[in-house]
Amino acid sequence: MNITLSTEPIKAINADITLVIVIDKDFKHPFVKPYAKLLKKAGFSGNQDEVCHLPEAGILVAGAESLGHAHIRPAVASAMRALRGKPYKQAAIATYMSHPKCTATLRGLVEGAVLGHYAFDRYKSTKTKGIKRLTISTEEYRGHPIDVESAKRTIAKGIAAAEATNYTRDIVNTAPDDFYPDVMANTAKKLAKTNNLSLTILTPKAMKKEKMGALLAVARASRHAPRLIHIAHTPKNPVATISLVGKGLTYDSGGLSLKPADFMVTMKSDKSGGAAVLGILKAVSDLNLPVEVHGFIGAVENMIGGDAYKPDDILRAKNGKTIEVRNTDAEGRLVLADVLAYAQQEVQADYLYDLATLTGACVVGVGQYTSGVMGFHADPVQKVLYAGETLSGEMATQLKFNRHLRKTIDSTIADVCNIASTRYGGAITAGLFLGEFIDAHHRDRWAHIDIAGPAFVEAAWGENPHGASGAGVRMVTRLIEKISRGEGH
């Protein structure tokens, strides 16, 4: 979909359909008033994300609670979803802003349009068509004057972030037999070539030299050999250096601690953390942000077989710590242990973040729409939380570490156990396990982001479709944008 900005009034734009947003159920606003009676007859009340198509009037209306970006984004996304399969190629929409000098709502509008336009139809025999062109008029909801150049920059940023999110969605939604570790490595190669990124890929032989005993144990029962991917955006004179680590389990059967059948479905989504890292690198490089960003991904498949690692095995991770395995379905933390250690060896970063669909316990604790954020120090954690709901509209909440839960991952025969001795606080104990592989330099610079809930939901919600959401991409991209401006670093 092509998005352009026009200085013409909304009614002067040549379009097949016009999108109208009803803000806070205000049917008296000039944008809405001509259609108020028709909307009420149609039963439209203006609730958040509610849509109403009035083909005879040439409009599609969506409701939003406020002019805030967190409400405009999903409202526009809902409108774009409603237009899929309709006989329209060109749409128009006015500009919506919460403040004359604040372009956050305009960016939310653009992101909502791109995210709502998304459909994963790779495996469909018949493709559903959507809008080809969206024209945004500088006519503004409250009559605010629009700085055209500033608006163009905002639109470009919104497109970059949303397209990177859709790029991530495509990776996560792809079936496991079509997307295994070597495919993830090749995907990184294509991105590196297109976006002028540096790339290093470690094979099992190289990983063995790096003494990655935990990652290699998880991978060894699969016919698909693992890959460790290091992809980086390295601009001249960067204002900061950030390392991102992603869990890239291209499929997770649970290993010998086999998942029940119902829980094995959708496990193609266990690569969401690694996919998000690729998406973030795409956005950062598309925006050419003056921040050095390194992405490290452990691409692994956790399967069963005669060579599978077993409960009761003792593994030695790259940093030398030994791990007692008590459940082979707690494999993501084993992969991340080695990738985190490798990332810290290769780059002394100002901030270190890992993204992973790590625990079902996080979903139980905070629901399927919210990411859990953990760390030893408030600063990196608070940066994620602020970049979440305040800047990007992604929901995130802090789960605090505590010394009592740390004791539950003690092992009597190894340095640490891969699962806790209690069923409670599983998201936090997994985060504490990862903390065992954070060195002194990065201890106060690291945060763990558990995206197990929002990464893949089998129903549309907000600006997200059925399936992969691209969780973490917009949130971390906004965090890096903020750091690129010298804010909070």
Side-chain angles (χ1 to χ4, degrees):
M1 180 176 62
N2 188 20
I3 299 178
T4 59
L5 184 69
S6 172
T7 56
E8 290 186 328
I10 185 70
K11 289 186 177 180
I13 294 173
N14 183 24
D16 302 323
I17 190 80
T18 298
L19 307 183
V20 178
I21 312 299
V22 175
I23 307 297
D24 193 24
K25 301 183 179 179
D26 182 6
F27 288 87
K28 295 181 180 180
H29 188 276
F31 285 0
V32 184
K33 191 174 181 179
Y35 317 107
K37 289 183 179 180
L38 280 174
L39 289 168
K40 288 181 179 179
K41 283 183 179 180
F44 179 79
S45 58
N47 292 326
Q48 178 68 45
D49 302 343
E50 182 184 2
V51 296
C52 182
H53 184 203
L54 298 177
E56 66 276 23
I59 67 167
L60 189 140
V61 185
E65 289 182 17
S66 76
L67 279 167
H69 68 86
H71 292 139
I72 294 294
R73 186 182 294 104
V76 174
S78 297
M80 294 301 292
R81 278 200 296 268
L83 288 175
R84 291 201 66 82
K86 300 287 193 302
Y88 304 124
K89 294 183 179 180
Q90 299 186 66
I93 191 170
T95 296
Y96 292 79
M97 293 174 66
S98 58
H99 187 275
K101 295 183 179 181
C102 179
T103 57
T105 300
L106 175 58
R107 177 162 176 170
L109 183 157
V110 172
E111 290 178 349
V114 177
L115 296 171
H117 185 260
Y118 175 84
F120 185 71
D121 55 10
R122 174 176 173 177
Y123 299 106
K124 290 281 189 179
S125 300
T126 304
K127 314 297 182 185
T128 304
K129 296 180 180 179
I131 295 295
K132 298 290 186 182
R133 177 187 291 273
L134 176 65
T135 303
I136 302 173
S137 169
T138 53
E139 183 178 0
E140 203 278 326
Y141 180 79
R142 285 182 173 169
H144 295 316
I146 302 298
D147 182 322
V148 174
E149 292 307 312
S150 176
K152 286 181 178 178
R153 289 192 296 271
T154 296
I155 289 170
K157 290 178 182 178
I159 291 172
E163 286 185 344
T165 303
N166 287 345
Y167 169 85
T168 300
R169 290 171 171 179
D170 278 345
I171 292 172
V172 177
N173 281 325
T174 301
D177 208 35
D178 295 327
F179 204 98
Y180 39 88
D182 197 42
V183 176
M184 183 165 261
N186 288 332
T187 301
K189 286 178 184 177
K190 291 177 184 177
L191 178 62
K193 184 177 180 180
T194 303
N195 284 41
N196 194 29
L197 303 170
S198 65
L199 180 69
T200 302
I201 296 174
L202 271 61
T203 61
K205 184 177 180 180
M207 285 184 264
K208 190 173 183 179
K209 287 183 179 179
E210 292 287 345
K211 300 180 179 180
M212 297 181 178
L215 184 156
L216 289 169
V218 175
R220 72 190 191 202
S222 173
R223 65 189 178 97
H224 297 298
R227 295 288 184 269
L228 193 151
I229 300 161
H230 177 193
I231 186 167
H233 169 69
T234 53
K236 292 182 179 179
N237 304 314
V239 299
T241 300
I242 296 174
S243 287
L244 306 174
V245 172
K247 175 186 172 185
L249 264 292
T250 57
Y251 191 74
D252 177 24
S253 68
L256 291 179
S257 304
L258 197 65
K259 292 178 183 291
D262 289 348
F263 287 84
M264 214 179 296
V265 177
T266 76
M267 275 299 100
K268 62 184 179 182
S269 68
D270 220 16
K271 59 183 178 290
S272 295
V277 169
L278 290 178
I280 295 161
L281 264 295
K282 174 175 167 52
V284 166
S285 53
D286 282 344
L287 294 169
N288 196 25
L289 297 180
V291 178
E292 185 172 323
V293 182
H294 294 263
F296 298 87
I297 302 165
V300 180
E301 190 175 62
N302 184 27
M303 298 297 287
I304 59 173
D307 196 31
Y309 81 117
K310 301 170 286 295
D312 286 342
D313 279 350
I314 304 296
L315 311 178
R316 187 176 296 276
K318 176 174 171 55
N319 71 345
K321 289 195 174 183
T322 54
I323 305 166
E324 178 188 359
V325 177
R326 295 188 68 87
N327 189 317
T328 64
D329 194 25
E331 85 303 325
R333 65 199 71 181
L334 299 176
V335 172
L336 286 174
D338 279 343
V339 182
L340 281 165
Y342 180 77
Q344 293 166 97
Q345 169 188 286
E346 296 299 299
V347 180
Q348 293 285 292
D350 296 304
Y351 292 101
L352 170 64
Y353 293 102
D354 74 77
L355 298 99
T357 48
L358 205 61
T359 65
C362 192
V363 189
V364 173
V366 302
Q368 59 187 343
Y369 308 117
T370 304
S371 296
V373 188
M374 292 155 257
F376 294 113
H377 194 275
D379 180 50
V381 171
Q382 290 302 318
K383 278 182 166 53
V384 176
L385 299 180
Y386 184 80
E389 293 195 46
T390 303
L391 296 179
S392 69
E394 290 197 48
M395 291 180 281
T397 191
Q398 182 177 11
L399 300 175
K400 290 189 175 182
F401 286 164
N402 70 73
R403 66 184 186 279
H404 305 294
L405 281 175
R406 169 59 191 81
K407 294 175 183 177
T408 67
I409 59 171
D410 283 340
S411 168
T412 57
I413 58 174
D415 296 325
V416 66
C417 187
N418 81 322
I419 60 168
S421 58
T422 175
R423 68 175 65 186
Y424 304 112
I428 297 173
T429 55
L432 285 164
F433 176 90
L434 296 182
E436 293 294 304
F437 303 90
I438 304 299
D439 64 26
H441 172 79
H442 292 92
R443 185 178 175 86
D444 292 343
R445 305 164 191 260
W446 164 72
H448 160 57
I449 307 170
D450 192 332
I451 58 172
F456 196 96
V457 179
E458 291 189 280
W461 55 287
E463 60 267 31
N464 301 294
H466 172 285
S469 68
V473 175
R474 287 183 296 112
M475 179 166 63
V476 177
T477 297
R478 290 306 297 266
L479 184 157
I480 297 171
E481 283 184 65
K482 193 170 188 295
I483 289 174
S484 75
R485 296 189 295 268
E487 300 172 15
H489 171 61

